[in-house]
Amino acid sequence: MQKRRGSMRKLYSWPVIPTTAAIVCCGALALSAQTDLSGYWAFRIKDGGVNYYQLQQNGESFGTVPPVAGQGGGFRGRGLAGTVKNGKVHLEMVNSMPAAPAAGAPGAAARPAAAAAGGPGGGQTRVYEGVVTNPNRIDVTLTTTGRDAGVLKGWFERVSKDEAVPTRIPSPELRDLPDNGMVRTPPMGWNSWNKFADEIDDKTVRRIADAMVSSGMAKAGYTYIVVDEGWSSGRDANGKIIPNGKFPDMKALADYVHSKGLKIGIYSSPGPQSCWGRVGGGGYQGSWKHEEEDAQTFADWGYDYLKYDQCTAGEVYDNTTQDSQAAYQKMGEALLKTGRPMVYSLCQYGAHDVWKWGGKAGGNLWRTTGDINDSWGSMERIGFAQLDISKYVKVGHWNDPDMLEVGNGGMMADEYRTHMSLWSMLAAPLMAGNDLRTMTEETKSILMNPDVIAIDQDRGEFQPVQRLSVQGKTEVLIRQLSGNAYAVGLYNRGDEPAEITFRWDDLKFDTGLGSRRLAATDLWKHESVTVSGDTYTATVPKHGVVLLRVAVATGRGGFGF
Ligand code: GLA
């Protein structure tokens, strides 16, 4: 779902000489057949982003170049085809929304629940009806059906090729950026995307911040409120990024979130634009060619966290490790230069083994996967795939298997408990992605289970999670924790309840005690577990988990064996 850039506008200076035969009629410029509307155009709506098109007029036929077939046809973005007759324009989006990419495919921007009306990405139509106001402007009414159905006023505006087509600039030399010293445990917070997509606004963010505190989430450790896609509009005459009408004052918003004792995050892209756009409006701003300015703006506004999403970077960087690292390094350097501590969250869907260089580019966390969605299949596939790269996790540099879906309604409670248990054993960032204002008691009990959070946030010398055993569709994962303890997760990925067993002796405790005594607790049942015999066996429900903390008993009450 690539959208186009919306950098500073250089209005095209009347490249088309209006034909002498042009007749002004009824507020529209009725153009004779000789007038050529061919060229580069930006389509804008108020408070939206921008889509760029190369349009070609051929007699009365009018549309994108070259003729479009299938996804992403035409010059840029989805194609348009239609007519221009007597100054009246009729254009239709040529192809309907392409089917959503396979869940979790690299860069697959899974459309979250709130925005999926009209089917997951399918069946959208867009019709632009309007008049040629002058040879450089076409005012239109855009009628959308399917996803984001509605009627909007917008306009096409002629732009230079230079604006419409990004020209590459040299990438910086690679170097290792210093550790910014932040997030010594995986970041915890909330991000707007999974629940709200880009239908997020200042007021909702404030109410979420209120709910973060009143629900107990803040006390449980959730700190960062991250505004994802959808806050920006364009750039002012000085090139400074500006918010759109849904976010009247980004600094005031940061001040509000800070006043609640929380921290706030913002979102941008190394490309010219970010990934998603409002109805017909196109993509929001990216930071390409504005990295230092934007980092400084975010710092001046008081932001504490940047999620930097690849999106349109492919238009201006090569799809290589070198270029990907360079793109992220550029912003990493810019953030350091501001002097404001800001968590740097890389999001390029795990391409080019980002876990091997994300830290060098200044990253504190990096997405290791395409987008999660609120389904067992997506969460399970992403979560268990992390085991192979868990050894790359270091303090302050976390693998990020994407935000939590707990509480969004697409999974059973057992599946959400598996989600939370797995993310905690992985030491993954815990970024809630649900509506904190309306959480059920069950959702709260999952997101705010202090013992499970403690595994995620363990402060010992960091040890990555390991796979102890796999049998059929069951897995036993273990992670060594501080305090001479282990987390042991018995995961059932199958569709029937299953008995899962592990040997106590497989937990290699660092203890000088001759005869070891262990104490174990079931962290979801909140009760102690008898440690006896050589093994432990639990019956684990379909898609469920039994999560234990096993420690060397410190006083009386341990169970000897
Ligand atoms: C990408 C990211 C998501 C979200 C959207 C916003 O798909 O992976 O987490 O930020 O973009 O468009």
Side-chain angles (χ1 to χ4, degrees), residues 103-104 109-114 116 193-195 370-382 402-413 415-417 419 423 433-435 443:
R111 189 67 172 163
W193 179 254
N194 280 1
K195 174 70 188 173
D371 290 14
I372 196 168
N373 65 47
D374 187 18
S375 70
W376 164 253
S378 164
M379 185 278 290
E380 180 214 18
R381 191 186 41 73
I382 288 174
D402 210 354
M403 301 161 301
L404 298 173
E405 291 284 8
V406 177
N408 279 335
M411 287 184 247
M412 303 181 307
E415 295 171 331
Y416 283 141
R417 279 189 277 272
H419 188 6
W423 263 235
N434 59 316
D435 190 342
T443 297

Side-chain angles (χ1 to χ4, degrees), residues 269-494:
S269 167
Q273 282 192 293
S274 60
C275 299
W276 201 269
R278 290 284 302 154
V279 191
Y284 301 99
Q285 279 297 292
S287 293
W288 184 59
K289 282 185 171 172
H290 294 273
E291 290 83 359
E292 287 198 4
E293 259 172 296
D294 286 0
Q296 194 54 53
T297 301
F298 302 152
D300 293 345
W301 286 342
Y303 282 73
D304 309 294
Y305 184 119
L306 173 68
K307 174 173 169 183
Y308 207 45
D309 190 351
Q310 172 159 302
C311 301
T312 57
E315 296 182 3
V316 288
Y317 292 99
D318 283 341
N319 185 18
T320 60
T321 307
Q322 160 100 14
D323 250 28
S324 193
Q325 185 170 338
Y328 281 87
Q329 175 187 308
K330 232 184 205 181
M331 182 51 94
E333 279 182 312
L335 291 173
L336 288 174
K337 202 169 161 199
T338 67
R340 182 177 176 85
M342 279 187 265
V343 176
Y344 187 27
S345 159
L346 278 47
C347 176
Q348 43 79 287
Y349 333 117
H352 306 299
D353 293 353
V354 60
W355 40 87
K356 294 183 181 161
W357 53 261
K360 296 181 185 174
N364 295 111
L365 58 155
W366 41 81
R367 277 274 297 279
T368 54
T369 157
D371 290 14
I372 196 168
N373 65 47
D374 187 18
S375 70
W376 164 253
S378 164
M379 185 278 290
E380 180 214 18
R381 191 186 41 73
I382 288 174
F384 287 96
Q386 303 302 305
L387 275 294
D388 304 336
I389 52 170
S390 55
K391 67 171 187 219
Y392 293 99
V393 178
K394 303 258 171 345
V395 169
H397 305 289
W398 310 100
N399 281 345
D400 174 11
D402 210 354
M403 301 161 301
L404 298 173
E405 291 284 8
V406 177
N408 279 335
M411 287 184 247
M412 303 181 307
D414 275 330
E415 295 171 331
Y416 283 141
R417 279 189 277 272
T418 295
H419 188 6
M420 186 74 185
S421 305
L422 190 48
W423 263 235
S424 290
M425 288 196 75
L426 292 168
L430 296 179
M431 301 299 287
N434 59 316
D435 190 342
L436 304 186
R437 300 167 301 182
T438 55
M439 287 190 283
T440 62
E441 288 309 310
E442 188 164 70
T443 297
K444 289 184 191 172
S445 74
I446 296 171
L447 283 173
M448 290 189 250
N449 182 322
D451 298 326
V452 179
I453 291 174
I455 293 176
D456 185 76
Q457 298 286 303
D458 189 75
R459 280 186 176 271
E461 187 185 320
F462 183 78
Q463 299 291 340
V465 66
Q466 294 167 46
R467 202 173 241 137
L468 190 60
S469 64
V470 180
Q471 252 193 343
K473 296 218 157 178
T474 70
E475 300 199 9
V476 179
L477 308 183
I478 60 171
R479 180 161 143 231
Q480 198 165 7
L481 305 172
S482 56
N484 226 355
Y486 271 90
V488 183
L490 283 58
Y491 292 87
N492 178 9
R493 301 173 67 175

